Amino acid sequence: MTSRSSCNRKWVAAHSALQGLLQEELLVEPPGPQTNRLHVFQDRAVLYLKYLQIFRSLEEVYEQLVQPQRRQMVRMVLEGLTGRLLELKSQMVELELSEFHYFDELLLDLKMTPKDLEIPVPRYCLRDQIQLLRHKQTMFTNILDPQRTNRTATSVQSMTLEEAARLLQVSERARQGRTRAQFVKMLVQSEKGVHRHTWKPTSLTQTQAAILIQKVWRGHSQRNRTNRQRTEEMIFLGMIPAEPPGPSSSQVQAEQVSVHRRLIQDQNEGQYQRAQLSVKKSVREMEGTNIRETLQEQIRQWFIECRDATGRFPEFPDTEDGGSASLFSQKTPEQVSAELAARGQERQKKKREKRGGPEKKEDDSWTNPVSCFLSEVVKGDRIYSDFLSRPEKIKVLTHLTLPVSVCSDVWHRRDDQQQSVDVQLLREAKRQEVEQEVRLQVDELMRVELTHLKLAVDKTKTKTKRGNRKKKKKTKKKKKRADLTADRSLQSLYEELILEGVLIQPMSIKLSDYIGEYSYLGSTLRQVNTEPMPSLSDIRQLITLYSVLPLGSPTVLKEFPAVKTLLLAGPSGVGKKMLVHAVCNETGAHLFHLSPAHLSTRYPSRGGAAYLLHLIFKVAGELQPSVIWIEDAEKWFYRKALKSGRKFDPRRLKKNLLKSLKALKLEDRVLVIGTTRRPFDADVKPFCKVYKKIILIPKPDYSSRLVLWRELLRREGAEPGPGLDLSSLAKITDGFTQGHILEAVRSVLKPYRLKKLRLQPLTAAEFIQPLSRMEPVYREEEEAFKVWFRKTPLGRKKARAARTSEEEGGGGGKAGRKKKSTEDKKKMMKK
């Protein structure tokens, strides 16, 4: 009962916030072009932050709900919010010309913290792939286990009875020797202790002995009390981390309730799927005939009314215009015919624009584009609650061309205790589906009947549309790519990729394991015209937006053109490989690893490499979601062939890679992620043509390094104590990456060192030696990455915008230089 009431409270709060945002975005007339891009960016940023908070709340609501139909409606709103966040993010990038944004002032105004900027990974993304993950694990086990058993069987060697007895004798003698040595060691230590603690008894009275014992004990207890109070004070001040407490009884109980809730959700979902089939079948059998006859009578009546009003029979709407459903929206026949004519003119106008191409805008104005996802948000919210109870909301739905049906107060008036399938509501929904299916059949029949009526009464023939013929001819002229593996089954291709090490299992890593802290100096640096380096928290947010959310939601990809290629550039050790594996784990995607080693050893020739690319993209398209990881992506775009690469030049595969990427559809859940340590070795123009989104991952800053030291020590089994100066370690590791810090921690925390932690706590000096043997990221390498990023399309746009702003302000360009030179001449004349 408590979880249900908290779920309802969260939904009410999220619903009221969402209702206010929808009124702000839809009920108000859209503004015209705006020239102040800073104000527009502030408006987009406020909407982004508010939608993000609603998304976080509704994700919790979705996980707590048990009723399957309620979950379906909340899921619809969540997917609409996901697409809206991606739209706002792309608009902010276009306005600010940067992938990283800093909202310090907005966070203060909205009373938010940097933790509220974290984009949660929806848990349903991975839960929807449970069956796929189990099937994938079974496939890997069945294919790889025979190989392992054969190798282990060949490694076992047989021996004679004498060799076995000799081996046992050697082992037993060694064991006895170790036992004897341990016993001798204990005797020596006990003798040393006896000699060390030998003391001569002194003559003390009973009172003096009691006072001496009290004095020693009171000193010991007071020292312990002082140390405990000092530690508590340091923890309270935040100078040292508190010891992580174990799971409490309430936490254990909450986990048990969560597991039980997931079982109920799965049971109710199965019951809902079975009920859908049975209810739809019964509705079709009992009401299908009546629906068909009613629709035919309504359409015939419309024919007669239009004939009486206009003197001729109307044109029947096409299927893409809604068919006969667009006729019964409480409009007069003249209004319907005028609306159809306007739609036809608009369609012709779009065709002319496509032929002529989009016109380039010379001005710097900004027009707010129409969202593709607000209709889904409104629809899901309308069905879940009483969103249509007030008349002003109807304008929103008619503006979004949504059917206004009697769905208000759907869940608001129903019993909140109901957790199973609501058959009555399901019957209403299935009745609409059956009506749509019957309507398509009736429309075909009534089009034929209208043709006969026109021929018999008006003596006119309907003209056939030539556009469909042209489309058919164009589709016939398109050439299909040759399938190099047409004679092979998907199972055989799957096995080949696994055995060759191309299709691999991702490591068990979550995106939350990529530790990083918020950049608190970003806004301050931008105020002084200094572009800050992004923090690791910003990188984690971008990976969630550009990788996890599109791969985890097929609905988003149908409406939003998400990027299919992503490049992670940065020095070695910043976590590029870790991010690729985390994306696969969060979405349940298949991981295809493509490296130059595969191309040079296993598929050495040019034809073999092209065959491998075709194989990977074909299997990835069949096993969606999929991630294709291209390691050392810069080698495919070298300016010149290296001496070591004469036998095989990966530059030959650029054309094949471009062809494979063009074959991907917008709705395909396939993402190509490239990782590179030396992007400046590649030719920038073709490199950026393939990878549409480029994320530059820097070395961690001070705050991220401090968090890294604390968390990595805890994960390796050592809790940082008051004697370990983590602040100094974070300061001296400036220039070191996450990989360097992890290697230093593991080199110090060996098993024997972990056993001595209680007697000998860790100190910062122990990490100096392993760190001294590592090469940090020097300033020259970091500057090389910055220079290369300025050559990318986004970097060039930002530099161009900076030059134009300087010229407008009179501080740069020819006008600024002329003005400065004239001022210098006047000063010289005065002298």
Side-chain angles (χ1 to χ4, degrees):
M1 183 65 186
T2 305
S3 61
R4 191 179 302 120
S5 60
S6 65
C7 177
N8 291 334
R9 286 196 301 269
K10 288 180 181 179
W11 165 255
V12 170
H15 168 66
S16 60
L18 182 60
Q19 192 173 357
L21 283 179
L22 292 175
Q23 290 181 4
E24 180 182 349
E25 285 208 82
L26 297 175
L27 292 181
V28 182
E29 294 183 1
Q34 302 180 19
T35 56
N36 194 335
R37 299 173 71 92
L38 180 60
H39 291 172
V40 179
F41 174 79
Q42 294 289 336
D43 295 339
R44 301 291 97 186
V46 170
L47 287 176
Y48 176 81
L49 293 176
K50 291 182 178 179
Y51 275 122
L52 180 57
Q53 297 312 304
I54 298 173
F55 179 81
R56 293 169 63 95
S57 299
L58 288 185
E59 202 271 336
E60 292 289 338
V61 171
Y62 180 80
E63 292 299 322
Q64 293 181 7
L65 282 176
V66 176
Q67 214 282 337
Q69 290 153 295
R70 294 190 182 194
R71 286 171 57 85
Q72 187 179 8
M73 294 303 105
V74 176
R75 176 72 174 268
M76 184 186 300
V77 178
L78 276 174
E79 290 178 346
L81 290 176
T82 301
R84 188 60 181 147
L85 287 174
L86 292 174
E87 285 179 341
L88 292 172
K89 177 63 179 180
S90 63
Q91 293 172 16
M92 289 192 297
V93 171
E94 186 178 354
L95 287 166
E96 205 175 28
L97 299 177
S98 175
E99 295 286 353
F100 307 98
H101 317 292
Y102 302 99
F103 312 110
D104 293 350
E105 296 180 358
L106 294 179
L107 291 179
L108 291 175
D109 295 338
L110 298 175
K111 297 180 180 180
M112 296 169 57
T113 62
K115 290 185 178 180
D116 295 330
L117 292 176
E118 290 291 333
I119 304 172
V121 178
R123 283 163 277 188
Y124 59 78
C125 293
L126 188 60
R127 197 169 299 156
D128 292 346
Q129 306 293 329
I130 290 292
Q131 298 297 331
L132 179 63
L133 292 174
R134 292 174 180 172
H135 176 69
K136 182 170 63 173
Q137 184 66 33
T138 305
M139 291 288 293
F140 272 93
T141 304
N142 294 337
I143 293 173
L144 295 178
D145 274 356
Q147 305 292 329
R148 294 174 181 172
T149 51
N150 292 336
R151 285 195 292 268
T152 54
T154 54
S155 61
V156 176
Q157 298 178 357
S158 60
M159 62 177 61
T160 61
L161 183 61
E162 295 178 356
E163 292 175 348
R166 191 178 300 111
L167 183 62
L168 291 174
Q169 288 176 357
V170 170
S171 301
E172 179 61 22
R173 288 168 181 167
R175 186 190 67 79
Q176 293 178 2
R178 286 192 297 270
T179 305
R180 193 180 302 110
Q182 185 70 20
F183 180 71
V184 172
K185 183 178 179 181
M186 292 173 61
L187 286 177
V188 172
Q189 289 179 353
S190 63
E191 291 178 359
K192 290 181 179 179
V194 169
H195 292 299
R196 187 185 300 117
H197 298 291
T198 302
W199 56 279
K200 296 180 179 180
T202 57
S203 58
L204 293 175
T205 62
Q206 188 175 5
T207 304
Q208 292 175 342
I211 293 173
L212 184 60
I213 293 174
Q214 290 176 0
K215 183 167 133 183
V216 172
W217 172 248
R218 287 175 179 174
H220 173 71
S221 61
Q222 184 60 39
R223 283 191 295 271
N224 290 341
R225 191 181 301 110
T226 303
N227 291 334
R228 186 170 59 255
Q229 291 176 354
R230 184 185 295 114
T231 304
E232 291 176 356
E233 182 182 4
M234 297 291 282
I235 292 174
F236 175 76
L237 295 175
M239 302 299 292
I240 61 174
E243 294 186 3
S248 60
S249 59
S250 59
Q251 291 177 342
V252 173
Q253 185 179 2
E255 183 64 26
Q256 294 175 355
V257 171
S258 178
V259 173
H260 181 64
R261 186 189 299 120
R262 283 196 290 268
L263 292 176
I264 298 177
Q265 289 173 354
D266 296 338
Q267 293 174 1
N268 291 348
E269 185 65 26
Q271 181 184 359
Y272 176 67
Q273 297 298 333
R274 292 189 297 270
Q276 278 187 316
L277 300 176
S278 60
V279 171
K280 186 175 182 179
K281 183 179 178 181
S282 64
V283 170
R284 187 186 291 112
E285 292 175 353
M286 297 175 61
E287 305 180 17
T289 305
N290 295 333
I291 293 174
R292 182 180 292 104
E293 293 176 355
T294 304
L295 290 176
Q296 289 178 349
E297 290 297 328
Q298 289 178 352
I299 295 173
R300 288 194 185 100
Q301 184 67 26
W302 178 71
F303 290 164
I304 297 172
E305 291 178 1
C306 288
R307 182 75 169 76
D308 295 339
T310 60
R312 59 187 179 86
F313 287 107
E315 295 293 333
F316 203 91
D318 294 334
T319 305
E320 57 187 20
D321 291 332
S324 61
S326 61
L327 304 178
F328 310 107
S329 55
Q330 298 179 357
K331 296 179 182 178
T332 61
E334 292 83 359
Q335 290 176 346
V336 173
S337 58
E339 186 177 350
L340 292 175
R343 288 180 182 177
Q345 293 178 0
E346 186 178 356
R347 198 178 297 117
Q348 292 179 0
K349 183 179 179 181
K350 288 182 179 179
K351 289 181 179 179
R352 288 195 297 268
E353 289 179 355
K354 287 183 179 179
R355 292 173 184 172
E359 297 181 358
K360 294 183 180 179
K361 294 182 179 181
E362 296 181 359
D363 57 349
D364 196 22
S365 61
W366 169 265
T367 303
N368 187 15
V370 180
S371 174
C372 302
F373 296 96
L374 286 180
S375 60
E376 293 296 323
V377 176
V378 173
K379 187 177 179 181
D381 184 78
R382 169 176 59 89
I383 297 176
Y384 193 95
S385 61
D386 56 344
F387 187 61
L388 279 180
S389 58
R390 281 169 285 181
E392 64 268 19
K393 304 295 187 225
I394 300 178
K395 297 180 181 179
V396 180
L397 296 174
T398 54
H399 173 68
L400 294 171
T401 65
L402 288 175
V404 182
S405 58
V406 190
C407 291
S408 61
D409 290 342
V410 171
W411 291 109
H412 184 70
R413 298 177 181 176
R414 295 185 181 267
D415 185 13
D416 188 58
Q417 303 295 329
Q418 182 180 359
Q419 302 297 331
S420 58
V421 180
D422 192 331
V423 181
Q424 181 182 356
L425 183 63
L426 182 60
R427 184 175 295 276
E428 294 174 3
K430 292 304 172 183
R431 186 180 293 112
Q432 294 180 1
E433 291 185 10
V434 172
E435 183 179 349
Q436 291 177 1
E437 295 175 0
V438 174
R439 188 182 293 276
L440 294 177
Q441 301 172 4
V442 171
D443 287 353
E444 294 297 328
L445 295 175
M446 299 311 292
R447 284 191 184 95
V448 176
E449 185 174 338
L450 181 60
T451 304
H452 292 316
L453 284 174
K454 287 183 179 181
L455 185 61
V457 179
D458 295 340
K459 305 297 182 181
T460 57
K461 294 182 180 181
T462 57
K463 297 180 180 180
T464 58
K465 295 184 178 180
R466 298 179 181 178
N468 296 332
R469 296 179 180 177
K470 291 182 179 180
K471 288 180 181 179
K472 291 180 180 179
K473 291 181 180 179
K474 289 181 180 180
T475 52
K476 290 181 180 178
K477 290 181 180 179
K478 289 182 180 179
K479 295 182 179 179
K480 294 183 179 180
R481 294 186 63 198
D483 192 356
L484 304 179
T485 58
D487 56 339
R488 297 182 57 183
S489 63
L490 181 64
Q491 179 73 17
S492 63
L493 302 179
Y494 197 91
E495 291 180 359
E496 180 181 350
L497 291 176
I498 291 178
L499 294 175
E500 293 296 336
V502 178
L503 181 58
I504 61 176
Q505 285 185 313
M507 295 184 293
S508 181
I509 297 173
K510 293 183 178 180
L511 200 57
S512 58
D513 296 335
Y514 191 76
I515 305 170
E517 192 57 58
Y518 179 76
S519 178
Y520 295 96
L521 295 177
S523 299
T524 306
L525 292 175
R526 280 193 174 176
Q527 289 176 359
V528 295
N529 295 327
T530 301
E531 185 62 25
M533 292 299 289
S535 66
L536 302 186
S537 176
D538 299 330
I539 301 297
R540 188 171 58 244
Q541 294 176 23
L542 282 186
I543 294 298
T544 306
L545 278 171
Y546 293 149
S547 302
V548 177
L549 294 183
L551 284 177
S553 178
T555 309
V556 173
L557 293 179
K558 293 179 181 179
E559 300 291 340
F560 185 76
V563 293
K564 300 295 182 183
T565 53
L566 178 67
L567 181 67
L568 304 179
S572 179
V574 293
K576 301 183 291 293
K577 177 180 177 182
M578 177 182 179
L579 289 173
V580 174
H581 286 267
V583 169
C584 296
N585 275 295
E586 296 288 0
T587 58
H590 295 80
L591 179 57
F592 297 85
H593 183 202
L594 183 59
S595 66
H598 294 124
L599 301 176
S600 59
T601 58
R602 299 169 189 174
Y603 297 89
S605 63
R606 181 177 181 180
Y611 167 78
L612 177 61
L613 275 178
H614 170 78
L615 189 62
I616 290 175
F617 276 89
K618 180 179 179 180
V619 178
E622 295 291 337
L623 303 176
Q624 299 181 20
S626 300
V627 172
I628 301 175
W629 172 29
I630 301 179
E631 192 176 8
D632 296 333
E634 79 281 355
K635 293 184 178 180
W636 296 47
F637 301 91
Y638 274 147
R639 299 187 183 92
K640 296 180 181 179
L642 300 179
K643 295 181 180 180
S644 60
R646 289 180 179 176
K647 294 182 180 180
F648 178 78
D649 190 0
R651 297 183 302 165
R652 300 176 183 175
L653 293 175
K654 284 191 294 186
K655 294 182 179 179
N656 295 321
L657 180 60
L658 287 172
K659 290 180 182 178
S660 301
L661 290 174
K662 289 179 180 178
L664 292 177
K665 301 177 182 178
L666 291 178
E667 62 271 13
D668 288 343
R669 291 194 292 167
V670 178
L671 179 64
V672 179
I673 301 180
T675 57
T676 175
R677 295 175 294 177
R678 299 186 59 83
F680 28 79
D681 291 342
D683 195 1
V684 177
K685 189 174 181 180
F687 201 27
C688 297
K689 186 178 180 181
V690 171
Y691 296 99
K692 302 299 181 182
K693 282 291 181 183
I694 299 175
I695 299 178
L696 183 60
I697 306 178
K699 61 185 182 181
D701 54 2
Y702 171 80
S703 57
S704 296
R705 292 195 302 272
L706 184 63
V707 176
L708 275 168
W709 276 107
R710 183 183 300 118
E711 294 299 327
L712 291 179
L713 285 171
R714 286 177 177 174
R715 292 183 184 182
E716 296 298 323
E719 182 65 28
L724 181 59
D725 192 357
L726 293 179
S727 179
S728 298
L729 284 175
K731 187 67 176 177
I732 65 174
T733 50
D734 185 12
F736 290 85
T737 63
Q738 302 96 303
H740 292 143
I741 297 176
L742 179 60
E743 185 180 352
V745 169
R746 288 180 175 174
S747 63
V748 171
L749 295 180
K750 299 293 184 181
Y752 64 88
R753 184 65 183 89
L754 290 173
K755 294 179 180 179
K756 296 181 179 179
L757 286 178
R758 292 186 176 274
L759 300 176
Q760 185 181 352
L762 281 174
T763 59
E766 298 182 55
F767 299 95
I768 301 299
Q769 186 176 0
L771 288 173
S772 63
R773 295 193 294 263
M774 302 176 189
E775 289 289 334
V777 179
Y778 294 105
R779 185 171 299 175
E780 292 78 9
E781 184 179 359
E782 187 178 6
E783 191 64 29
F785 277 100
K786 293 181 181 179
V787 172
W788 169 81
F789 190 76
R790 295 192 195 105
K791 298 178 182 178
T792 60
L794 190 62
R796 291 199 302 269
K797 286 182 181 179
K798 192 172 184 63
R800 196 182 304 118
R803 286 196 299 268
T804 54
S805 63
E806 288 179 1
E807 291 175 1
E808 290 175 357
K814 293 182 180 180
R817 287 194 294 270
K818 286 182 180 180
K819 185 177 180 181
K820 189 175 181 181
S821 62
T822 53
E823 291 177 355
D824 293 341
K825 287 181 181 179
K826 289 181 180 180
K827 289 181 181 180
M828 292 294 294
M829 292 295 293
K830 287 182 180 179
K831 290 181 180 180

